[in-house]
Amino acid sequence: MAQIPNKSAQQTAQYAVPTSADVARLAGVSRATVSYVLNNTSAVRISEPTRRRVHEAAKELGYVPHAAARSLRAGHTRVVLMPTPQIPAGPLFSEFFNELQWALSRFDYTVVQYGSLGLTGEEAARAWAELRPVAVLAPGASGLGARAVDVLKRSGAKAVFTLGPQRTEGAHALLMDQRRIGNCAAAHLLERGSRRIGVVIPGEQGLKPFARPRAEGLRQTVAGYGQGATVTELPLAYDEESAARLAARWRTLGIDGVFTYNDEYAMLLMRALQDEGIAVPGETAMIGADDLVLGRLLRPRLSTVRIELPSGQKLAELVDRVVRDPGMEPEVHDVLGATAVHRESS
Amino acid sequence: MAQIPNKSAQQTAQYAVPTSADVARLAGVSRATVSYVLNNTSAVRISEPTRRRVHEAAKELGYVPHAAARSLRAGHTRVVLMPTPQIPAGPLFSEFFNELQWALSRFDYTVVQYGSLGLTGEEAARAWAELRPVAVLAPGASGLGARAVDVLKRSGAKAVFTLGPQRTEGAHALLMDQRRIGNCAAAHLLERGSRRIGVVIPGEQGLKPFARPRAEGLRQTVAGYGQGATVTELPLAYDEESAARLAARWRTLGIDGVFTYNDEYAMLLMRALQDEGIAVPGETAMIGADDLVLGRLLRPRLSTVRIELPSGQKLAELVDRVVRDPGMEPEVHDVLGATAVHRESS
DNA sequence: ACGCTCGCCGGGAGCGCTCCCACGCAGGTC
DNA sequence: GACCTGCGTGGGAGCGCTCCCGGCGAGCGT
């Protein structure tokens, strides 16, 4: 009697991953029938007993379809690729991202995050393209270039989006115009009487793509105001020593209002100023951004710019629309809302 | 003359993704040769002129290999799958994760993050298994069960790791025993004279898998100490009202030392206590965890438990070893280090 | 000069899956 | 009884890739 090796042998099952052919054999039907049953193909009607046999066989073998084979055959995938941003995401972006992921999964997309690991734009794009994603949502700070977009499109990506401070040619943009935040902070400070306005520029290199436009927006608004209002840039690393050094020369700067990039830098600077005996908001008004809980715990309570990101649902719909109609001209959607929240520090 | 449609037509290239056969045609060689050249196959020697022609053809067409086809043929992938934890990761974990990702990529693995989106353990595992990952690193809070591990192994995963507070049968564990943190905090508070010790239990449901063992560890150490030391659990939501309510009844609790789960909750509670006029550390000593920058900005400066995660390099080596030798008995590695950092709040 | 070796390249099969098409067998009509 | 309709099922091809194997031409020893 011929030896039939390692089929349905529980112990060695890990070495023989079951395929649809195995399921078919066990159920006594053809591979085609297995496919019809497991995919609930409506065009082909399969009798109820057969369905049950197939399902039971699949369960017994622990059959899981092979995504690669399926998408190879189909000629396309339902993968939406999101390169992981290299800056650790704050709670705001995390929540936005989770919502988006959930919404996309409602449209039957599979969201996959994938690190770029310091590759340059085009190399990273090539690595991403190997997965043949149907859509790519690239956080904009990753500096996706027009060439990279082209690589992705030629690999079959139907929709390429950037989400971040700047747009890229050929790609749709969910523009998060960080200048808005600077505008908003400046307007708030000016309105409350500041004229010599400081703006913190974080030392962390990864924050530059956000920090620069926030500062630029602040400049715009201050320049538009006229009446001798000025802007001073204040480089500041995220540590106590750097903050102490800045605070020590604070009075020489003559700054009466400061926008601190975000709430965390605000906390850092506020502590340093207070340690130096500088009154907030008495001598210097202060406003942060992101509306973190910690801002409300400071004394004085921190004024902040609240940032509103769009709903994941709306974005998922947009992505789906572009995937269905890839010929669309790239659109720019301005999705970042900013409102000043006045508390006590300004 | 026969019409040759859309080959090398730049405008329509997005509708005809180039394959290795296209490259071969353009370079005037066979598909096999293209494969040898692009993969630098050492067994087969290809002449330099041929190599150049192939590379040029690939570049001109914008050829990117099809990962699915490749892994289908190979029978395995180099994908390491990491389900995304549902709790937003702090800077500590973010950095650890980036390091791990980088280290794995040095071993030629591709790290992919993939959301489970609220599927139960076994359903999620089935979804993950479709990708045929060679290894899975599951953050432990996701409650991966033994069944789920089995599904993954039967789909060909050579290595399944949990990383988190508890282990799972059949899977290797990078045990991050959160009780250590509680042990450490308790020892610190006891040593500095606290006897009636409070432990904050965060209200956020997602934090439970971390909060419970931290509290339990604290209990252990306090119980071991004897001499009438007691533990009181203090439920606290991450908002000001909740903290104010707790602070209002603080003196009735008679607590002289508190472990706040982490630095953020510490900041929340410290503010509420100070607003209530309760002296820290005079009436109540306080210690947080995670050693965030913000702790150093509080007054008094916050004592904290510094958490040390293992180096990504070591873990990548471990993962690689298990992949190479899948027959290994599941190992449990205790990878979480905790040391108390004394500042001013205790 | 003949045969043998060796370097370089092409043919072809098959990974797991889906879907077009063909086939067989009921039950009904002429 | 021959034919048709239609439902349920199986055969088979091919998605893009890699790698075994076989072939061909050039160089060299005898």
Side-chain angles (χ1 to χ4, degrees):
Chain A
M1 193 171 176
Q3 295 239 350
I4 312 249
N6 66 8
K7 284 293 170 194
S8 82
Q10 295 284 337
Q11 288 79 359
T12 58
Q14 54 188 314
Y15 298 118
V17 180
T19 72
S20 72
D22 296 323
V23 176
R25 200 156 27 233
L26 184 58
V29 298
S30 75
R31 289 165 6 260
T33 303
V34 171
S35 175
Y36 294 140
V37 170
L38 296 183
N39 294 300
N40 265 324
T41 309
S42 52
V44 182
R45 294 170 56 86
I46 305 283
S47 68
E48 198 50 45
T50 304
R51 304 185 91 86
R52 281 171 29 89
R53 281 213 314 283
V54 169
H55 277 125
E56 280 167 12
K59 190 170 198 176
E60 178 170 339
L61 292 177
Y63 170 71
V64 174
H66 192 307
R70 180 180 292 186
S71 67
L72 179 59
R73 164 67 220 222
H76 61 88
T77 69
R78 297 287 290 174
V79 167
V80 175
L81 190 143
M82 283 201 63
T84 42
Q86 48 280 71
I87 328 142
L92 195 77
F93 192 81
S94 287
E95 198 194 347
F96 164 70
F97 176 73
N98 276 337
E99 202 184 326
L100 177 59
Q101 187 164 349
W102 170 259
L104 281 169
S105 77
R106 303 310 303 169
F107 283 96
D108 201 33
Y109 292 106
T110 299
V111 179
V112 162
Q113 284 176 273
Y114 195 104
S116 52
L117 292 167
L119 296 176
T120 72
E122 208 176 332
E123 284 171 344
R126 232 187 301 277
W128 301 339
E130 292 191 5
L131 294 184
R132 297 289 191 272
V134 70
V136 178
L137 306 183
S142 52
L144 195 73
R147 303 276 305 259
V149 172
D150 200 49
V151 168
L152 290 171
K153 287 200 167 169
R154 287 166 70 142
S155 81
K158 296 275 209 302
V160 180
F161 285 81
T162 61
L163 41 166
Q166 69 258 4
R167 57 166 315 218
T168 299
E169 194 181 323
H172 295 256
L174 302 174
L175 200 63
M176 301 187 179
D177 189 351
Q178 304 279 325
R179 288 176 300 186
R180 295 274 185 84
I181 298 163
N183 296 147
C184 193
H188 180 80
L189 290 172
L190 288 167
E191 190 180 307
R192 303 198 60 81
S194 298
R195 291 298 175 269
R196 297 186 54 83
I197 293 178
V199 56
V200 168
I201 311 289
E204 281 188 70
Q205 207 55 35
L207 296 179
K208 283 285 187 292
F210 300 93
R212 293 253 57 103
R214 287 189 190 189
E216 187 194 331
L218 179 123
R219 252 181 215 292
Q220 280 177 353
T221 302
V222 172
Y225 185 79
Q227 302 187 27
T230 65
V231 173
T232 309
E233 294 201 351
L234 307 167
L236 177 60
Y238 194 57
D239 57 66
E240 286 179 280
E241 298 73 36
S242 176
R245 277 198 301 276
L246 177 56
R249 64 191 184 90
W250 192 261
R251 290 212 165 94
T252 71
L253 296 167
I255 286 170
D256 59 3
V258 61
F259 168 56
T260 60
Y261 172 70
N262 73 8
D263 285 357
E264 288 180 310
Y265 276 87
M267 182 176 181
L268 178 65
L269 183 58
M270 185 186 288
R271 171 54 59 204
L273 292 181
Q274 289 176 342
D275 284 353
E276 197 69 23
I278 294 159
V280 177
E283 291 183 63
T284 300
M286 182 179 289
I287 185 167
D290 289 358
D291 194 18
L292 300 184
V293 170
L294 68 81
R296 269 162 284 189
L297 303 177
L298 298 178
R299 296 295 179 269
R301 289 182 174 81
L302 183 68
S303 298
T304 194
V305 178
R306 177 180 296 146
I307 299 171
E308 271 141 29
L309 261 29
S311 85
Q313 179 64 29
K314 284 269 180 291
L315 288 191
E317 282 168 17
L318 177 59
V319 170
D320 188 56
R321 205 165 67 234
V322 176
V323 168
R324 287 176 192 281
D325 178 16
M328 280 173 60
E329 275 302 301
E331 292 178 354
V332 176
H333 295 261
D334 218 330
V335 297
L336 186 139
T339 33
V341 178
H342 174 61
R343 295 215 174 92
E344 301 165 358
S345 69
S346 61
Chain B
M1 192 169 177
Q3 295 239 350
I4 314 249
N6 66 8
K7 283 291 170 195
S8 81
Q10 295 284 338
Q11 288 79 0
T12 57
Q14 55 189 314
Y15 297 118
V17 180
T19 72
S20 73
D22 296 324
V23 176
R25 200 156 26 233
L26 184 59
V29 298
S30 74
R31 291 170 0 263
T33 304
V34 171
S35 175
Y36 294 140
V37 171
L38 296 183
N39 294 300
N40 264 324
T41 309
S42 52
V44 182
R45 293 170 55 86
I46 305 283
S47 67
E48 199 48 45
T50 304
R51 302 186 92 87
R52 282 171 29 89
R53 282 212 315 282
V54 169
H55 277 125
E56 280 167 12
K59 190 172 199 175
E60 177 170 339
L61 292 178
Y63 171 71
V64 174
H66 193 307
R70 182 181 296 196
S71 67
L72 179 60
R73 165 67 220 220
H76 64 262
T77 69
R78 297 287 289 175
V79 168
V80 176
L81 190 142
M82 283 201 62
T84 42
Q86 48 279 70
I87 329 141
L92 194 77
F93 192 81
S94 287
E95 199 193 346
F96 164 70
F97 176 73
N98 277 336
E99 203 185 324
L100 178 58
Q101 188 164 350
W102 169 260
L104 282 169
S105 78
R106 304 307 305 169
F107 282 96
D108 201 34
Y109 293 105
T110 299
V111 179
V112 163
Q113 283 175 271
Y114 195 105
S116 51
L117 293 167
L119 296 176
T120 73
E122 209 177 332
E123 284 171 343
R126 233 186 301 277
W128 301 339
E130 293 191 4
L131 295 184
R132 296 290 190 272
V134 69
V136 177
L137 306 185
S142 51
L144 194 72
R147 303 278 304 261
V149 172
D150 200 50
V151 168
L152 290 171
K153 287 200 166 169
R154 287 165 72 140
S155 81
K158 297 273 208 301
V160 180
F161 284 82
T162 60
L163 43 166
Q166 70 259 7
R167 58 165 315 219
T168 298
E169 193 182 322
H172 294 257
L174 301 174
L175 200 62
M176 299 187 180
D177 188 350
Q178 304 280 324
R179 286 175 301 185
R180 294 274 185 85
I181 299 164
N183 295 148
C184 192
H188 179 82
L189 290 173
L190 288 167
E191 189 179 311
R192 302 197 60 82
S194 296
R195 291 297 174 270
R196 299 187 53 84
I197 294 179
V199 55
V200 168
I201 310 290
E204 281 187 70
Q205 206 56 33
L207 297 180
K208 283 288 187 287
F210 300 92
R212 293 252 59 102
R214 287 189 189 189
E216 187 193 332
L218 180 124
R219 249 181 216 292
Q220 281 177 352
T221 301
V222 172
Y225 185 79
Q227 302 186 27
T230 64
V231 172
T232 310
E233 294 203 351
L234 307 167
L236 175 61
Y238 194 56
D239 58 66
E240 287 179 280
E241 297 73 34
S242 176
R245 276 198 302 277
L246 177 56
R249 62 191 184 91
W250 193 262
R251 288 211 166 94
T252 71
L253 296 167
I255 286 171
D256 58 4
V258 62
F259 168 55
T260 60
Y261 172 70
N262 72 7
D263 286 357
E264 289 179 311
Y265 277 87
M267 181 176 180
L268 177 65
L269 181 58
M270 185 186 288
R271 172 54 60 205
L273 291 182
Q274 289 175 341
D275 285 352
E276 197 70 22
I278 294 159
V280 177
E283 289 185 64
T284 300
M286 182 179 289
I287 186 167
D290 289 357
D291 194 17
L292 300 184
V293 170
L294 69 80
R296 269 162 285 189
L297 302 177
L298 298 179
R299 296 296 180 268
R301 288 182 174 80
L302 184 67
S303 297
T304 194
V305 178
R306 178 180 296 148
I307 298 172
E308 271 140 30
L309 261 29
S311 85
Q313 179 64 30
K314 282 270 179 291
L315 288 192
E317 281 168 18
L318 176 59
V319 170
D320 188 57
R321 204 165 68 235
V322 176
V323 168
R324 287 176 192 281
D325 177 15
M328 282 172 59
E329 275 303 299
E331 292 178 354
V332 176
H333 295 261
D334 218 329
V335 297
L336 186 139
T339 33
V341 177
H342 174 60
R343 295 214 175 91
E344 302 165 358
S345 67
S346 62

